[in-house]
Amino acid sequence: MNSEIIVAADFGSSKIAVMAGQKNADGKIKVLGVEQDQTPVDSIRSGLIIKPSDVSYKINTLMKLLENRIQKPISKFYINLNAHSMRTCKASTTQTIESGKEIDQTVLDKMLMSVKQTEISNRHILHVTPQEYQLDTEPIKDPLNSIGSQLIGNYVITIGKTEILDNIQKSVDRSGYTSEECIISPLATSMALLSDTEKELGCLLLDFGAGTTSLSIFKDGYLRHFAIIPFGGKHITSDLKDLNIREQDAEKLKVLKGAARTIDIKKSLKIQVPSNIEGIEPQVVSNKDIAIIIEARLREILNFVKEQIKKSGYADKLGAGIVITGGASQLEGLDTLSSEILEYNVRKGSCENILDKESAEYNLPEYTSLIGLMLYGKANCISSAKNEQGKKPKLPRKNIFGRVSDKMVSLFDDESPINDKK
């Protein structure tokens, strides 16, 4: 087993979770421990931290619990990045090659850094994914060791509002820990759920979160398109409150009695929901009414997904179909409803082949991004100095997001066509 212990954190609208694990010799993940708790009220909305102090306190608490569970001192962690304003756009850069000189890794790194250092007004570059290259106007997938005069690199950039990273930075700084790296959600989740073949053939990864639903399109092994729809499981719960029930009761009904398709309800059931108010009779709701409300919201979300697929230009290139994950993906019939509306083969994602036998219990949608982060991570997140001294050392502040240059380009002018609503 690899001696490095990777620690991952996921800041969700409904839950904050941290996980520690190691990679076996066969590449599978052994989960050492998980700690999680409800997100502080109104501290994270659609993936954006709006109360850094509340989030930092929760991070500190969960990390200490995780340290106690694994009996190791944690110094840093990887973060899953998933916020409403995240989008993809295309970029390219050109490099002149010295006559007769082979293209080496230094040239490719220089081109990648040039794109990473591009400044975009009011946006951070969160990730840069290399795509195909052109050498002297001819397409080439891997230009390494080739000879030519001009190399053009094409890239997909994932960008988001500056507040996404700024507020994560504040939360991490105040927590007493540091962040090794922020990884955009589609990359982390795809590492856990998608095979190389699926990414090559073309696949859409659909993640139904609490506050948002994210979609990622892969083709020819590359991330091609990524977008976030500002509706998720919490909006379904909010809709169910219209049955004159409390939010916590609405959440229970969704999880225990919810269905994605009304047509699948074969037997009508009446469910009593206690009012918890003396003199007020319990509210009676039917499983069919619950399904009608859930299906309406899911159809709205899936129709937005359909528009994004068309917008991406890859609608006819998804040979491996769609993989769904996230909390709402567990709703009965959602795979069938998704297939009906989006017109692709749909299957539920699974981490079964990634986890070792002892960690099989963590094969749940809520842990997918954390498992993906541990597959991605390489740096040991345990502090040896803390072991020797018996206390956590002061660590230098680290700008985990890098610096941007003074170059300015206009790559992004589409904020969001969707207005958030309850």
Side-chain angles (χ1 to χ4, degrees):
M1 178 179 290
N2 194 324
S3 60
E4 278 79 16
I5 293 178
I6 309 299
V7 179
D10 187 14
F11 306 151
S13 298
S14 64
K15 182 180 65 178
I16 294 177
V18 295
M19 175 183 282
Q22 291 176 296
K23 297 175 188 174
N24 293 337
D26 60 2
K28 292 191 175 183
I29 295 294
K30 176 178 175 60
V31 178
L32 303 178
V34 176
E35 294 294 340
Q36 55 192 342
D37 199 0
Q38 290 184 338
T39 300
V41 177
D42 292 330
S43 63
I44 301 178
R45 292 178 182 171
S46 296
L48 176 65
I49 296 174
I50 59 175
K51 292 184 179 179
S53 295
D54 289 356
V55 173
S56 66
Y57 177 81
K58 185 65 68 174
I59 294 170
N60 181 273
T61 300
L62 292 174
M63 285 296 176
K64 288 186 182 304
L65 290 170
L66 187 59
E67 286 178 324
N68 185 61
R69 182 177 294 276
I70 68 175
Q71 293 297 295
K72 297 285 184 181
I74 297 169
S75 64
K76 56 189 177 182
F77 53 92
Y78 289 84
I79 296 174
N80 179 50
L81 207 56
N82 191 32
H84 171 210
S85 70
M86 290 167 57
R87 293 289 187 274
T88 52
C89 57
K90 296 179 180 180
S92 65
T93 187
T94 302
Q95 181 69 37
T96 300
I97 309 300
E98 186 179 333
S99 179
K101 184 178 180 180
E102 292 185 0
I103 297 170
D104 58 17
Q105 190 60 47
T106 303
V107 173
L108 301 184
D109 291 344
K110 182 179 179 180
M111 295 174 68
L112 181 64
M113 185 56 64
S114 174
V115 176
K116 285 184 176 180
Q117 290 180 336
T118 301
E119 185 175 344
I120 304 172
S121 180
N122 298 318
R123 294 291 185 274
H124 269 305
I125 291 180
L126 307 176
H127 188 80
V128 178
T129 306
Q131 311 279 285
E132 296 86 359
Y133 295 86
Q134 286 179 294
L135 182 59
D136 296 336
T137 73
E138 292 296 324
I140 182 170
K141 189 168 186 178
D142 182 8
L144 203 61
N145 301 323
S146 300
I147 295 177
S149 60
Q150 186 184 71
L151 181 64
I152 299 174
N154 298 305
Y155 305 84
V156 165
I157 300 177
T158 303
I159 58 180
K161 287 182 178 180
T162 56
E163 294 92 334
I164 297 175
L165 299 186
D166 290 346
N167 293 353
I168 286 179
Q169 182 77 66
K170 291 175 184 177
S171 301
V172 171
D173 285 347
R174 297 172 186 177
S175 73
Y177 297 84
T178 60
S179 173
E180 175 62 22
E181 193 174 349
C182 283
I183 312 301
I184 59 172
S185 180
L187 293 186
T189 307
S190 69
M191 290 191 74
L193 295 181
L194 301 185
S195 66
D196 290 342
T197 300
E198 286 171 320
K199 293 179 184 179
E200 185 75 20
L201 287 174
C203 186
L204 184 145
L205 180 57
L206 193 53
D207 190 345
F208 293 91
T212 61
T213 298
S214 65
L215 60 104
S216 317
I217 293 177
F218 294 83
K219 177 64 178 175
D220 297 327
Y222 300 112
L223 173 65
R224 300 292 189 170
H225 183 77
F226 174 62
I228 293 183
I229 295 162
F231 304 128
K234 289 184 71 172
H235 295 86
I236 296 174
T237 300
S238 182
D239 293 342
L240 290 171
K241 287 171 60 180
D242 290 342
L243 295 172
N244 293 323
I245 56 178
R246 300 178 304 164
E247 183 172 350
Q248 54 265 50
D249 293 325
E251 180 67 20
K252 288 180 181 178
L253 286 176
K254 180 185 74 176
V255 173
L256 299 176
K257 301 296 182 181
R261 301 199 314 161
T262 310
I263 195 173
D264 291 333
I265 304 297
K266 303 302 182 183
K267 183 178 180 181
S268 181
L269 298 175
K270 299 294 183 181
I271 305 163
Q272 282 194 347
V273 182
S275 67
N276 292 313
I277 300 176
E278 187 175 352
I280 302 295
E281 294 295 321
Q283 184 72 19
V284 178
V285 299
S286 74
N287 57 342
K288 192 165 187 177
D289 287 339
I290 295 169
I292 289 172
I293 292 171
I294 292 175
E295 182 176 353
R297 177 63 80 169
L298 288 174
R299 284 185 175 276
E300 180 183 26
I301 292 172
L302 289 168
N303 278 316
F304 281 130
V305 171
K306 193 170 187 175
E307 288 302 311
Q308 281 293 328
I309 295 174
K310 291 178 182 177
K311 181 180 177 181
S312 74
Y314 287 89
D316 60 345
K317 298 178 176 66
L318 302 179
I322 296 175
V323 175
I324 61 174
T325 188
S329 69
Q330 300 305 292
L331 281 168
E332 180 186 351
L334 180 55
D335 50 351
T336 304
L337 181 66
S338 299
S339 182
E340 172 193 321
I341 294 174
L342 302 178
E343 301 179 16
Y344 294 95
N345 290 326
V346 177
R347 70 173 179 84
K348 293 182 180 180
S350 172
C351 296
E352 183 178 3
N353 295 329
I354 300 299
L355 296 168
D356 71 3
K357 291 182 180 179
E358 295 179 16
S359 303
E361 64 184 287
Y362 298 102
N363 184 21
L364 298 171
E366 61 192 281
Y367 299 130
T368 298
S369 61
L370 292 170
I371 293 168
L373 285 174
M374 287 192 289
L375 283 169
Y376 176 93
K378 294 179 177 62
N380 187 23
C381 296
I382 302 304
S383 169
S384 57
K386 187 176 173 183
N387 257 340
E388 295 167 4
Q389 300 173 9
K391 61 181 180 180
K392 185 177 173 67
K394 288 186 178 180
L395 298 171
R397 285 194 177 189
K398 176 182 176 185
N399 186 346
I400 58 180
F401 312 116
R403 300 177 63 86
V404 294
S405 72
D406 294 331
K407 291 191 300 179
M408 176 74 74
V409 294
S410 178
L411 296 174
F412 183 84
D413 56 13
D414 178 19
E415 176 55 40
S416 175
I418 304 168
N419 294 317
D420 197 358
K421 62 183 180 180
K422 291 284 185 174

